[in-house]
Amino acid sequence: MTLTVLWRALVRRWLFVVAGLAVGLLAAGAAVLFSPKVYASTASVYVSATDSAANASNAYQGTLFSQQKVKTYTEILVSERVLTPVVQQFGLASVADLADEVSVASDAESTLLRITVRDDDPQRAADLANAVTTRFIQVVGQLERPRVPGAPAPVSVDVVDQAQPTSDPVSPKVTLDLVVGAVLGLLVGAAAAVVRSAADTTLRTSEELAAATGVGVLGLVPTDRALRGGAAPAAVPSGPFGEAVRRIRTNLLFADVDRPPALLTVTSSESGEGKTTLVIALAAAFAPTSRVVVVEGDLRRPTIADRLGLVAGSGLTDVLGRRVELTQVLQTWGPGVDVLAAGTLPHNPSELLSSAAMADLLATLRAHYDVVLVDAPPLGPVADAAILASGCDGAVLLCRSGATPRATVTAAVEALQTVGARLHGTVLTMTDAPRGGYDTYGPTPPAAPPSPAPSVAPAPAAPVVTGPETTPTTRAPESPAVGTPRWTGPGEDPVTRGTYVPPAGTVPRTVHVVPGRRRDDG
């Protein structure tokens, strides 16, 4: 695992790191709070060799002899011969318990012994240290008793410092315990984050989605709080969500420059990935430039009619069953968007969607609309979406960021490939909102409103000369015919800009035309 992968795992699972830190601090705090306070008192003694000769050589030999004795005395200090009388004097439980609380320290080249006793009472710790020191000196005097009567002992032990009670406990150490708890908590949290990231197979980035599907990513749709709870997108999506939808629309238009997809199936690998929301938003984004119809192809759990406030009683299934005409069930939502609801729920949705009547209906819609968006059910549970995608120009597959497993997305792509459906691209939904703010990029508002421009009289119409012998006449500007199609074929003259006059009762819109095809930008 590289440092980059490790860092990404920690950033993605930062809650594990924070939780580990919090647990470590809480555990350390609990240990500090509930652990009994322990005090320590230290007494020091000096060990020296006795030699009547006062010369440098004998003094040096005596020092070496004392250092050798110090190593032996360290073991004698915690022996039963030293500690048993102290245990009896203070009424302690056992010699072993006192031995655990007694520690002896000395430097390698020193003859000074430091005897430390720990206890939960500072005064008793000092008394025990002094009692152990006194008893130790007595035992050493007995062990080092000269064999010749009246001769001096070879070693003498003298007290340097008496043990004194201290007010500061040596345990628990608040600062040290909290630091250790925090470090251990961070390590445990980081390890949990790495393990969780390694076990997580969900797709979170566009790079991961493109690698799993083998096709390009059309866009990333951020989470919009206004759309939570099943709310329908506005007729004109705005903010980061609307900009992401318009980017997907643009990428779809340029998915195939010669034959832009006009009949699209929008599906997902699992439910709850935002396909219905994206279909409605895409319809609103295409509406200013195209005639759009939304077909509710989910005949198992239809939701579009309810979300848009339309009549859900009749629709697609009724048209396929020859019970009503298509024009009788088409409903209008917003400017330029028609909706064909699911209608009566059938018991055999897959057979109905794969029928010849469904193919004829899609062909009819293609002939009368510029863009046909089919809201299909997820590919994972049922085969309806694959059937619909095979009868359309292609499909758009949605994946929810951080929720859809890689294997599920791969299975959805394979389902489309099995029926020969073309996958135009994928969309990663419910991502984090982009940083920087979409609304911050745009023209700076003027400091003061501009003064109104002076009215200019319209220029007279230019004369039209038909020949040298004809009289010049004037021609009024030509107006496009009502109901002029928005798209012109490749054999006609390309028009760079014109005015589209829709049928009566609708609002005219300005059109921009790409060479070979013309569409209005709204």
Side-chain angles (χ1 to χ4, degrees), residues 276 279-284 292-297 304 308 330-331 333 337-342 365 369 371-375:
T276 301
V279 167
I280 299 173
L282 276 177
V292 185
V293 62
V294 175
V295 180
E296 193 168 19
I304 286 184
L308 300 182
L330 282 175
Q331 304 178 65
W333 174 78
V337 179
D338 291 339
V339 178
L340 179 59
L365 294 176
Y369 291 92
V371 177
V372 181
L373 299 175
V374 181
D375 179 26

Side-chain angles (χ1 to χ4, degrees), residues 1-17 186 189-191 193-195 197-198 204 208 435:
M1 178 178 291
T2 63
L3 292 178
T4 303
V5 175
L6 178 62
W7 175 252
R8 288 180 179 176
L10 295 178
V11 171
R12 289 178 181 176
R13 307 292 178 181
W14 61 270
L15 284 178
F16 284 85
V17 181
L186 284 175
V194 173
V195 172
S197 296
R204 293 179 174 273
E208 295 175 353
R435 297 181 179 180

Side-chain angles (χ1 to χ4, degrees), residues 249 253 285-292 335-336 370-371 484-488 496-502 507-514 517-522:
R249 175 202 62 183
L253 290 174
F286 274 110
T289 63
S290 309
R291 293 168 299 178
V292 185
D370 300 322
V371 177
T484 302
R486 291 186 177 91
W487 301 90
T488 61
T496 58
R497 186 173 179 87
T499 301
Y500 167 72
V501 181
V507 181
R509 292 191 293 268
T510 303
V511 297
H512 296 274
V513 177
V514 179
R517 293 182 64 88
R518 187 177 68 190
R519 62 184 182 86
D520 47 345
D521 289 340

Side-chain angles (χ1 to χ4, degrees), residues 44-327:
S44 60
V45 296
Y46 178 71
V47 180
S48 61
T50 303
D51 196 341
S52 58
N55 55 64
S57 176
N58 290 341
Y60 178 71
Q61 292 296 329
T63 301
L64 294 179
F65 177 73
S66 300
Q67 292 175 356
Q68 295 296 325
K69 287 293 183 180
V70 165
K71 298 179 180 178
T72 304
Y73 293 163
T74 301
E75 299 179 2
I76 295 176
L77 266 166
V78 294
S79 65
E80 291 187 2
R81 187 170 181 176
V82 174
L83 299 182
T84 299
V86 179
V87 170
Q88 296 174 353
Q89 177 184 352
F90 286 88
L92 302 179
S94 64
V95 174
D97 293 340
L98 180 58
D100 293 338
E101 302 300 330
V102 176
S103 60
V104 184
S106 63
D107 296 334
E109 298 180 356
S110 174
T111 60
L112 195 67
L113 284 175
R114 291 182 294 275
I115 305 168
T116 302
V117 178
R118 299 159 60 93
D119 195 84
D120 55 3
D121 182 79
Q123 184 61 50
R124 189 167 64 171
D127 295 341
L128 286 172
N130 291 327
V132 170
T133 301
T134 301
R135 179 58 186 169
F136 168 68
I137 295 175
Q138 295 174 358
V139 172
V140 170
Q142 297 172 1
L143 294 176
E144 300 294 347
R145 183 173 58 247
R147 295 182 179 180
V148 178
V155 178
S156 64
V157 180
D158 300 310
V159 177
V160 177
D161 294 316
Q162 291 281 345
Q164 301 294 332
T166 58
S167 58
D168 297 329
V170 295
S171 176
K173 297 180 179 179
V174 179
T175 303
L176 179 60
D177 292 346
L178 291 178
V179 170
V180 172
V183 172
L184 292 178
L186 284 175
L187 292 178
V188 172
V194 173
V195 172
R196 182 66 181 88
S197 296
D200 185 11
T201 60
T202 59
L203 303 177
R204 293 179 174 273
T205 63
S206 57
E207 292 79 7
E208 295 175 353
L209 181 57
T213 58
V215 296
V217 179
L218 298 173
L220 282 69
V221 180
T223 301
D224 193 341
R225 295 183 179 180
L227 300 180
R228 293 181 178 178
V236 182
S238 60
F241 175 82
E243 184 63 22
V245 172
R246 283 186 285 272
R247 182 173 299 175
I248 296 173
R249 175 202 62 183
T250 303
N251 291 336
L252 284 173
L253 290 174
F254 288 93
D256 189 341
V257 179
D258 296 329
R259 297 180 57 189
L263 184 55
L264 283 173
T265 297
V266 180
T267 182
S268 59
S269 53
E270 294 181 342
S271 60
E273 295 185 340
K275 60 178 182 59
T276 301
T277 301
L278 182 62
V279 167
I280 299 173
L282 276 177
F286 274 110
T289 63
S290 309
R291 293 168 299 178
V292 185
V293 62
V294 175
V295 180
E296 193 168 19
D298 191 346
L299 303 183
R300 302 175 189 267
R301 295 181 182 177
T303 59
I304 286 184
D306 294 336
R307 295 179 65 176
L308 300 182
L310 303 177
V311 178
S314 60
L316 174 62
T317 56
D318 302 284
V319 175
L320 297 179
R322 304 293 196 273
R323 291 187 293 272
V324 295
E325 296 295 331
L326 175 61
T327 56

